[in-house]
Amino acid sequence: MAPEIDLPGPVSLIDNTNGQLVVNPEALKILSAITQPVVVVAIVGLYRTGKSYLMNKLAGKKNGFSLGSTVQSHTKGIWMWCVPHPKKPGHVLVLLDTEGLGDVEKGDNQNDSWIFALAILLSSTFVYNSIGTINQQAMDQLHYVTELTHRIRSKSSPDENENEDSADFVSFFPDFVWTLRDFSLDLEAEGQPITADEYLTYSLKLKQGTSEKDKTFNLPRLCIRKYFPKKKCFVFDRPVHRKKLAQLEKLHDEELDPEFVQQVADFCSYIFSNSKTKTLSGGIKVNGPRLESLVLTYVNAISSGDLPCMENAVLALAQIENSAAVQKAIAHYEQQMGQKVQLPTETLQELLDLHRDSEREAIEVFIRSSFKDVDHLFQKELAAQLEKKRDDFCKQNQEASSGRCSALLQDIFSPLEEEVKMGIYSKPGGYRLFIQKLQDLKKKYHEEPRKGIQAEEILQTYLKSKESMTDAILQTDQTLTEKEKEIEVERVKAESAQASTKMLQEIQRKNEQMMEQKERSYQEHLKQLTEKMERDRAQLLKEQERTLALKLQEQERLLKEGFQTESRKMQNEIQDLQKKMRQRRICTIS
C-alpha cells in the first residue's frame, strides 16, 4: 500500500526570482514520492483577492498558504500543498496557489502570463478568483486567456497548412471555475432570479458588431467559451467588515457572515466531488512523478525561451516511463523464470515453453506501464532484451546439462576405467565381458533423471574418446578370430556413425524449435501491440467525441445569439475534427 502523503504546510513549487522561474528540488522530491493519482486544483487571480484563503479551506486548515493583509502580494511564484483527497480514497489533492497577477511592485508583468499558463497546464481544475462582479473591467483583467495560443502549443509540429484549433487545447485543458469575492449584486436577470452558473453564462454573451471595441469585448469571452467548455461559478459575500479582513485566518466560522461560510462550504464540496484526476491525452492518469516531469518540462521550455508544448511534455514523460516499463517487464520475466525454471530441463521445448509464458506476461507488464511509444522503439528494445535473456537461459541450460552429464559419466564409468587399467579385461573373452559391462553402464546412465539436453552428445563424446581403449581390448582378446574382430570394428563404426547422425538430427530439431520460438515471440509482441493500439484509438475517439459534443453545443449557442461568423469558424473546426475522427475509424477498421 502506498504511503499517505499529508504535508503539514505548503512548499514552493516554482520560485519567481528576479523574473526567472525556477523549480524547487524539494517540491519535486515530494511529488516523486506520490504514487497515487493526483487531482490538481490551481487558483489564479489578481493579487490581494483572497485566493490563499480558499486554498487553505480546500486543505482543511485555517492557515497554511500566506494570506497577507496589505496591498503587497504575499505569494511569489507557485506554491504547492499535497493532502489526502477527502472524497476520493487512493488519490492525492494537490493545491497550487499562484502569485497574484498585476502586482504593482513587479513592474514587468511578463511572468504573470507564464504563471497563468502554467496553472492551466498543470491543473485538472482551474480556479479564477476576482473581486466584485463580472464586468468589462473583470474581463480586461482576464486578458491572459486571450494570450494562451501565444503562450502554449499543443503540438510539437502541427500538420502542414493546419493551425492549432481549440480542439487541440480542450483535450488538455482543465475545468474552469470562476470565484467572485465580495459579490454585492442580486443574482437576477430581466427581473428573474438566476443561479451563479447562469450569471456566468449571461456574462459570457457576445456583443453584435464588428468594431474594434466589439472585438475587444468579445475576445476574452470567446476564448473562455472555446477553451473551457465545462464552467462553474461561485459568488461569495464579504466575510467580515473590511477592518477585520486582516485577521480572517484567525476568525472562527461563528464570527464570519453565515452566508459566506455556507458559500465556502459549497465551493469546497463542489471541488472535492467534481474535480477530476489530472489526465493527459490518451487517458493517461497523472501521479506524483508524472506531475514532476510535467513541471520540469514546461518550466525548462519557458526558461530556454521556447513555448511550453503539451505534446512534448507527454512525449518527455513517455520516454522516462517507457524506459522504466522495459526494466519492469524484464524484472518480471527474470522473477518468473527464476521461480519456474529448474536447470537443466529435460528438453529444449520445456525451457522454451516456460520462456514463452514468462515472455507473454512480461509484454503484458510493459503494455500496461507504457504509453506513447512512438515507432514502438521501447517495445523493440524489450523484444531484443527478452531474446537475449532467452539465449542466456538456453546457454545456462546447456552448461548445466553438460556439467551434470560429465559428473554422471565420472561416477558411472570411472570404476570401469579402473578395471581396464588393472587388466581385468586383458584376457581371453575379456572383450565380450567389457562390452557387456559397457552396455550395463550406458543403461544405468540413460536411467538417471534430469540429465538435460546434452545427455546424448556428452555420452557419445565420452565413448568416442575411449575408442582406442575399446580397440586395444578387442585386439588383445585371443578368443576372437581376425574375421570376428573385423566384424566388431565395423559394428562399432556403424554404431558411432548412427549416433553422429542422431546428434545432427537433434541439433537440427533444436534449431527448428528456436526458429519457431522466435516467430511465436514476434506474433505475441504483434498481438499485444495491436490490442493496445486499438485501445488507444478507442480512447482517443472517445476524447474527440467529447470535444465534438462540446463544440456542437457552443456552435448552437453562437447561432442562437446570432453570431454567424463565429458560428462558421466553429463549423470549420467541427468539420476538421470530424474528418480526423473518420480517418481514425477507417484505420481501426482496416
Side-chain angles (χ1 to χ4, degrees):
M1 188 173 177
E4 192 170 85
I5 299 294
D6 191 2
L7 297 183
V11 296
S12 174
L13 175 63
I14 301 171
D15 295 321
N16 185 6
T17 307
N18 299 322
Q20 292 295 315
L21 299 179
V22 181
V23 179
N24 176 18
E26 288 302 311
L28 296 183
K29 187 176 178 181
I30 293 168
L31 287 177
S32 68
I34 300 175
T35 57
Q36 305 99 321
V38 294
V39 175
V40 186
V41 179
I43 192 164
V44 169
L46 295 182
Y47 76 107
R48 298 303 310 123
T49 54
K51 302 186 306 301
S52 300
Y53 178 84
L54 288 180
M55 298 306 268
N56 288 339
K57 285 295 182 181
L58 289 175
K61 302 289 171 41
K62 287 184 67 67
N63 50 46
F65 288 113
S66 176
L67 268 62
S69 57
T70 69
V71 295
Q72 290 180 307
S73 172
H74 269 227
T75 305
K76 298 295 182 184
I78 299 178
W79 283 67
M80 174 185 79
W81 199 347
C82 304
V83 296
H85 198 290
K87 293 280 185 73
K88 294 182 179 179
H91 288 66
V92 171
L93 179 63
V94 178
L95 303 171
L96 301 181
D97 189 16
T98 63
E99 177 176 331
L101 306 177
D103 184 358
V104 293
E105 288 188 354
K106 286 188 292 190
D108 179 13
N109 290 331
Q110 169 75 4
N111 276 7
D112 283 354
S113 294
W114 287 127
I115 287 171
F116 188 93
L118 283 168
I120 286 175
L121 289 168
L122 297 174
S123 65
S124 48
T125 296
F126 176 83
V127 181
Y128 181 71
N129 190 69
S130 66
I131 295 289
T133 62
I134 302 178
N135 53 24
Q136 191 54 39
Q137 181 183 4
M139 284 293 174
D140 290 342
Q141 290 168 346
L142 195 49
H143 66 89
Y144 305 100
V145 77
T146 68
E147 302 170 4
L148 286 176
T149 54
H150 306 295
R151 296 288 174 181
I152 297 171
R153 286 186 298 148
S154 65
K155 297 179 180 178
S156 56
S157 53
D159 297 336
E160 191 175 351
N161 301 322
E162 179 188 352
N163 292 319
E164 294 184 316
D165 62 34
S166 59
D168 298 321
F169 292 102
V170 167
S171 63
F172 286 91
F173 274 18
D175 295 337
F176 181 87
V177 176
W178 196 329
T179 52
L180 296 165
R181 312 296 291 278
D182 298 351
F183 189 81
S184 57
L185 296 181
D186 291 329
L187 279 175
E188 61 178 42
E190 299 175 359
Q192 297 296 319
I194 58 174
T195 65
D197 291 341
E198 290 170 335
Y199 173 65
L200 175 59
T201 301
Y202 180 82
S203 301
L204 293 177
K205 281 189 175 181
L206 305 181
K207 184 182 287 187
Q208 295 283 359
T210 57
S211 67
E212 285 302 314
K213 186 177 180 181
D214 293 331
K215 290 179 182 177
T216 301
F217 179 90
N218 289 338
L219 183 58
R221 290 170 171 82
L222 270 173
C223 289
I224 293 172
R225 289 167 63 152
K226 289 173 68 174
Y227 297 148
F228 304 103
K230 186 175 180 181
K231 296 175 284 291
K232 184 74 178 173
C233 183
F234 289 92
V235 298
F236 300 87
D237 291 350
R238 176 169 289 198
V240 290
H241 189 275
R242 184 177 61 83
K243 291 183 179 180
K244 287 188 176 181
L245 286 175
Q247 288 85 40
L248 185 58
E249 63 184 25
K250 298 178 183 177
L251 299 177
H252 298 287
D253 284 352
E254 310 86 68
E255 301 174 80
L256 303 177
D257 184 291
E259 285 289 321
F260 174 79
V261 173
Q262 185 58 50
Q263 289 159 348
V264 171
D266 291 343
F267 166 76
C268 291
S269 176
Y270 174 85
I271 295 296
F272 294 150
S273 300
N274 293 277
S275 291
K276 301 188 294 286
T277 301
K278 175 67 177 174
T279 305
L280 303 177
S281 178
I284 302 156
K285 303 293 184 184
V286 174
N287 57 14
R290 288 176 175 174
L291 185 59
E292 173 193 13
S293 177
L294 294 178
V295 171
L296 280 171
T297 303
Y298 290 141
V299 174
N300 287 343
I302 293 170
S303 299
S304 63
D306 294 331
L307 296 183
C309 173
M310 294 181 282
E311 184 181 53
N312 283 351
V314 174
L315 291 176
L317 179 58
Q319 289 280 322
I320 297 169
E321 297 219 2
N322 290 343
S323 179
V326 171
Q327 298 311 311
K328 187 176 179 181
I330 291 296
H332 181 83
Y333 173 85
E334 290 175 337
Q335 180 193 41
Q336 292 300 304
M337 290 294 281
Q339 291 174 353
K340 296 174 182 177
V341 176
Q342 184 179 350
L343 300 179
T345 58
E346 285 292 353
T347 64
L348 174 61
Q349 193 60 53
E350 180 187 341
L351 178 63
L352 293 180
D353 288 345
L354 292 171
H355 161 79
R356 185 172 68 250
D357 292 342
S358 301
E359 178 187 51
R360 184 185 65 254
E361 291 183 22
I363 298 171
E364 289 172 356
V365 168
F366 172 79
I367 292 294
R368 285 198 302 269
S369 305
S370 66
F371 64 94
K372 299 285 183 184
D373 185 9
V374 180
D375 297 328
H376 319 303
L377 295 179
F378 286 94
Q379 189 163 358
K380 290 174 184 175
E381 170 63 21
L382 174 64
Q385 289 198 36
L386 287 172
E387 184 174 347
K388 185 177 184 302
K389 292 290 180 184
R390 180 204 64 205
D391 292 345
D392 287 345
F393 269 106
C394 287
K395 183 180 179 182
Q396 291 172 34
N397 194 36
Q398 192 172 8
E399 291 172 349
S401 176
S402 297
R404 163 104 171 121
C405 292
S406 296
L408 275 175
L409 289 172
Q410 178 67 23
D411 290 343
I412 293 171
F413 287 90
S414 58
L416 177 63
E417 293 180 26
E418 286 300 318
E419 290 174 354
V420 171
K421 288 179 183 177
M422 292 166 60
I424 291 176
Y425 301 104
S426 300
K427 62 183 181 180
Y431 179 75
R432 293 190 186 283
L433 289 174
F434 173 79
I435 291 299
Q436 183 59 49
K437 186 66 177 284
L438 189 64
Q439 295 300 328
D440 291 343
L441 295 180
K442 283 165 65 175
K443 182 181 178 183
K444 183 180 179 182
Y445 172 81
H446 283 129
E447 288 172 349
E448 287 288 336
R450 302 207 64 81
K451 294 185 294 298
I453 60 175
Q454 292 295 100
E456 197 60 33
E457 184 176 336
I458 295 297
L459 175 61
Q460 294 305 321
T461 301
Y462 171 80
L463 293 176
K464 195 168 187 64
S465 71
K466 302 303 178 183
E467 282 181 357
S468 58
M469 180 181 72
T470 303
D471 188 58
I473 295 172
L474 173 64
Q475 297 305 326
T476 58
D477 192 338
Q478 296 177 359
T479 63
L480 297 173
T481 65
E482 289 301 318
K483 183 64 176 175
E484 287 175 325
K485 290 179 181 179
E486 288 176 9
I487 292 173
E488 187 61 23
V489 168
E490 291 303 317
R491 185 192 67 78
V492 171
K493 284 183 179 178
E495 191 177 271
S496 178
Q498 186 180 16
S500 296
T501 301
K502 186 178 178 181
M503 278 196 297
L504 288 173
Q505 290 172 342
E506 181 63 20
I507 291 171
Q508 184 177 355
R509 192 168 70 85
K510 289 177 183 176
N511 288 336
E512 289 172 355
Q513 287 175 329
M514 291 297 289
M515 293 302 294
E516 288 172 4
Q517 177 55 47
K518 286 183 179 181
E519 178 61 23
R520 288 195 193 101
S521 293
Y522 171 77
Q523 292 299 333
E524 183 63 35
H525 277 278
L526 187 62
K527 171 178 169 286
Q528 294 207 36
L529 175 61
T530 302
E531 290 173 354
K532 179 174 174 56
M533 289 172 67
E534 290 303 317
R535 290 194 298 270
D536 290 347
R537 283 196 190 101
Q539 176 65 36
L540 187 53
L541 275 171
K542 186 178 177 182
E543 292 174 7
Q544 290 177 330
E545 284 167 358
R546 172 181 170 273
T547 302
L548 178 62
L550 294 169
K551 281 181 170 292
L552 288 168
Q553 290 174 8
E554 179 61 19
Q555 186 194 26
E556 186 179 348
R557 282 194 289 267
L558 288 168
L559 281 171
K560 283 182 178 179
E561 294 173 23
F563 290 92
Q564 300 295 330
T565 302
E566 292 300 331
S567 176
R568 282 194 296 273
K569 289 180 182 177
M570 183 62 71
Q571 180 62 32
N572 290 335
E573 290 187 14
I574 289 170
Q575 289 174 346
D576 288 343
L577 183 56
Q578 288 173 327
K579 181 181 177 182
K580 292 175 184 175
M581 292 171 69
R582 282 195 299 272
Q583 291 171 340
R584 197 164 297 281
R585 286 195 177 97
I586 291 169
C587 289
T588 302
I589 294 169
S590 60

